[in-house]
Amino acid sequence: MRLLPTLLLTFSSIAGAASLSTTALTLGQPDLTEQRRTATLLPGVTLTSIERGQLAGNGVWTVNIAAVATQSEGEKRLADLKAAGFTGRLDSMQTQGTVKGNLGFMVRVGSFTARAEADSLLSTLKARGLSGGVQFTGEDGGNVTGPWSIQVLSIEPGAQARVRLALATDTLPGRETTSTLARRLGAVAAVNGGFFVINNDIGTEGDLAGISVVDGKLLSEAIDGRPAFLLSRNEPGGQLLQGVTSTLTLKVGGTSRRATGINRKPGFIVNCGNFAATPTTRPAHDLTCQAKEELVAFTSAFGEQSDAGEGFEVAVGSDGTILSVQEKRGMTIPREGMTVQATGEAVAWLKNLAQAGVPVTLMTTLTDSSGKVIPLNTGTDIVNGGPTLVKSGKTLSDYAAEGWSPEGVTAEGAASAGSRLNFFNGWVLRRNPRTAIGTMSDGTLLLVTVDGRNPTHSVGVSIPEMAQLMRDLGAVDAMNLDGGGSTATYANGMLQGIPSDTTGERPDGDAILIFPR
């Protein structure tokens, strides 16, 4: 791991770490060793690197075949394995207090000290028509001694710094690593941002899979009901927003209709949470919903050309009137204007109204869970994320409402119970690399990353552990950002820590950057 030239301190002697709590973390048992290194990046901006615990027989490598809800289901899978010549076992899922009773079981084969042996077994299983994935059992969520490698960027209220959200490649399509984006724009430090579309099979690669506001402009609609985090370019700090909903109203001439999205491929709604989405209008993380009928606006944030395909589209100039119409999707986007695409039954509605010179207006309104309007002022950035980790000093675990739980979505038939159970266990409860953003009571902004999927370097954290970590660091409000291979902290020209992807740092959709004021 590469670190800045720093001063090595014990956890009890960090007086200059921008108001960070000086109490040892609660990850693992209380007597674990913990060391912190601090570096001042700008006046009021500090990087604190924390190394806690050590690898001490925390787990073994194994092949995970499936997640099942009941023991009887597990026994059937074990019988199938036995018939294929393999002896399996059932490992209970670690609920970590998030659900009552037993969550379910993981059907597994093999126990190895070296990953290469588990990889070899997986190849043998696949050759016999079976599927699965290699896992380290120390990431299951049970008690471990570490190790954990944590990076904390703390920005005090009076810091000589500006914090802003930036799009990868400066447009919504396409991706860029956090460190490349930070270097290109001249940032002192950065962390990865929110969730994004990973490839073109499920939408527009690089598009933010949730709300995105950059300098007061709405560039991507909200996953209704999910949290988000507001940043101001004018002053350090931030604000946790809960239950964010975006309402887009398209007015063509004197007729209005609710639009379904902005700057994304019609028909695909990653993470659902949209009134037009099927099979569920509720948030459902890592699930791509469909939409047969859409009105989607495209601005210059999408690039020079809108998404191409079947449907109907109009180009709107800088004066707010229709310049041209087209019997298919895919137009040049006017630099100071927009285009509007229609699919399904919305085609007839737009086509009936669209004529050259007709005024077109797109009105956007953001509200929080209380119904309060969130103003979109110049200098305002909003990054998507979730789940909510800490609110008013208390850790939260109501994952169903924000779309991280197997409940609710399965009742609407969005996915099989088994697949959502596997997602909940693997994404929420098992340890992974994580990134989070939060604020302390004095207004200090915290940007925190935890490396993972590397047992000798850092075992990662579960979502409940990430929530507790943010509280340990002093956060009174906090939200999870994108994690896994996306997790990255950049500071003073170098990537801190070790990326979890074998290919290195993952290109993302956006990042939170820190600049000198």
Side-chain angles (χ1 to χ4, degrees):
M1 180 178 66
R2 292 178 294 175
L3 292 169
L4 297 174
T6 54
L7 177 64
L8 176 63
L9 302 169
T10 64
F11 66 81
S12 60
S13 61
I14 306 177
S19 305
L20 278 188
S21 170
T22 57
T23 304
L25 303 178
T26 58
L27 283 174
Q29 59 199 48
D31 61 346
L32 295 177
T33 59
E34 183 175 310
Q35 292 182 330
R36 301 189 182 190
R37 293 175 171 86
T38 64
T40 299
L41 307 181
L42 293 169
V45 179
T46 302
L47 171 67
T48 302
S49 301
I50 306 173
E51 304 294 328
R52 178 174 174 82
Q54 61 282 317
L55 183 65
N58 289 336
V60 296
W61 292 98
T62 188
V63 176
N64 191 61
I65 302 298
V68 296
T70 65
Q71 186 164 347
S72 61
E73 291 179 82
E75 296 292 348
K76 291 179 182 178
R77 299 302 294 266
L78 291 179
D80 293 340
L81 284 169
K82 187 175 182 180
F86 300 95
T87 300
R89 69 182 186 280
L90 299 182
D91 287 350
S92 296
M93 296 183 190
Q94 304 289 330
T95 64
Q96 300 181 62
T98 59
V99 296
K100 295 181 180 179
N102 296 324
L103 180 63
F105 302 89
M106 291 171 285
V107 183
R108 287 170 160 172
V109 182
S111 296
F112 307 103
T113 56
R115 172 162 189 156
E117 296 176 278
D119 288 334
S120 177
L121 174 59
L122 178 59
S123 296
T124 302
L125 286 162
K126 288 182 175 179
R128 299 188 188 181
L130 299 170
S131 61
V134 172
Q135 292 181 339
F136 184 68
T137 59
E139 298 168 358
D140 286 353
N143 293 328
V144 295
T145 60
W148 289 280
S149 182
I150 303 162
Q151 309 295 328
V152 183
L153 287 166
S154 48
I155 304 96
E156 296 176 347
Q160 296 300 302
R162 293 182 298 111
V163 183
R164 57 162 289 201
L165 185 67
L167 298 178
T169 72
D170 296 328
T171 59
L172 285 164
R175 297 192 283 146
E176 188 173 11
T177 66
T178 296
S179 59
T180 300
L181 176 58
R183 288 190 190 99
R184 180 168 62 81
L185 297 181
V188 171
V191 299
N192 63 286
F195 303 112
F196 60 93
V197 179
I198 196 73
N199 60 57
N200 287 321
D201 293 337
I202 56 173
T204 303
E205 183 174 350
D207 175 37
L208 283 308
I211 191 168
S212 178
V213 173
V214 176
D215 201 15
K217 296 180 180 179
L218 180 67
L219 304 185
S220 177
E221 76 271 17
I223 303 299
D224 290 346
R226 296 272 285 265
F229 211 91
L230 184 149
L231 300 167
S232 173
R233 299 185 178 198
N234 301 318
E235 57 186 19
Q239 179 185 356
L240 174 66
L241 306 173
Q242 288 196 282
V244 178
T245 295
S246 57
T247 302
L248 286 68
T249 304
L250 185 70
K251 186 175 182 180
V252 183
T255 305
S256 297
R257 180 167 175 155
R258 188 172 178 184
T260 53
I262 184 169
N263 292 321
R264 65 166 172 79
K265 184 180 183 68
F268 298 87
I269 303 176
V270 178
N271 297 333
C272 306
N274 186 300
F275 77 96
T278 58
T280 179
T281 60
R282 299 175 59 176
H285 197 68
D286 273 7
L287 187 69
T288 300
C289 279
Q290 309 299 312
K292 296 180 180 179
E293 175 184 334
E294 294 223 61
L295 283 173
V296 178
F298 288 83
T299 70
S300 57
F302 194 81
E304 297 181 354
Q305 292 286 129
S306 63
D307 186 73
E310 296 182 358
F312 183 79
E313 188 166 8
V314 302
V316 181
S318 59
D319 64 351
T321 63
I322 294 178
L323 298 174
S324 60
V325 302
Q326 186 170 283
E327 295 285 342
K328 60 181 180 179
R329 296 188 294 109
M331 299 181 78
T332 298
I333 302 171
R335 186 170 181 80
E336 299 299 328
M338 65 179 176
T339 71
V340 179
Q341 296 187 349
T343 61
E345 294 181 4
V347 168
W349 179 84
L350 184 59
K351 185 182 296 187
N352 183 56
L353 299 169
Q355 296 180 23
V358 170
V360 177
T361 304
L362 179 67
M363 295 168 284
T364 61
T365 303
L366 298 184
T367 55
D368 63 15
S369 56
S370 69
K372 181 181 178 181
V373 174
I374 303 165
L376 297 182
N377 301 320
T378 300
T380 294
D381 293 338
I382 299 178
V383 61
N384 81 75
T388 303
L389 300 174
V390 183
K391 178 61 179 174
S392 300
K394 297 181 179 180
T395 55
L396 299 184
S397 59
D398 182 14
Y399 303 123
E402 296 179 351
W404 276 272
S405 173
E407 297 124 28
V409 174
T410 54
E412 299 181 40
S416 69
S419 65
R420 290 306 289 177
L421 180 68
N422 192 37
F423 158 78
F424 183 64
N425 176 58
W427 202 97
V428 174
L429 300 179
R430 298 193 80 246
R431 295 187 173 99
N432 290 284
R434 308 280 183 184
T435 306
I437 183 171
T439 50
M440 301 172 67
S441 59
D442 66 354
T444 295
L445 180 69
L446 299 178
L447 302 172
V448 182
T449 61
V450 183
D451 286 356
R453 299 177 187 165
N454 188 343
T456 60
H457 164 63
S458 185
V459 74
V461 290
S462 66
I463 287 292
E465 287 174 332
M466 192 68 187
Q468 185 58 49
L469 171 62
M470 294 303 287
R471 280 193 63 187
D472 288 349
L473 293 171
V476 293
D477 290 315
M479 181 188 78
N480 187 64
L481 293 167
D482 192 15
S486 297
T487 287
T489 293
Y490 168 90
N492 273 356
M494 64 180 67
L495 183 67
Q496 306 295 306
I498 301 174
S500 65
D501 285 0
T502 56
T503 53
E505 189 181 355
R506 178 184 295 175
D508 300 327
D510 63 358
I512 301 170
L513 277 55
I514 302 172
F515 298 88
R517 182 177 288 279

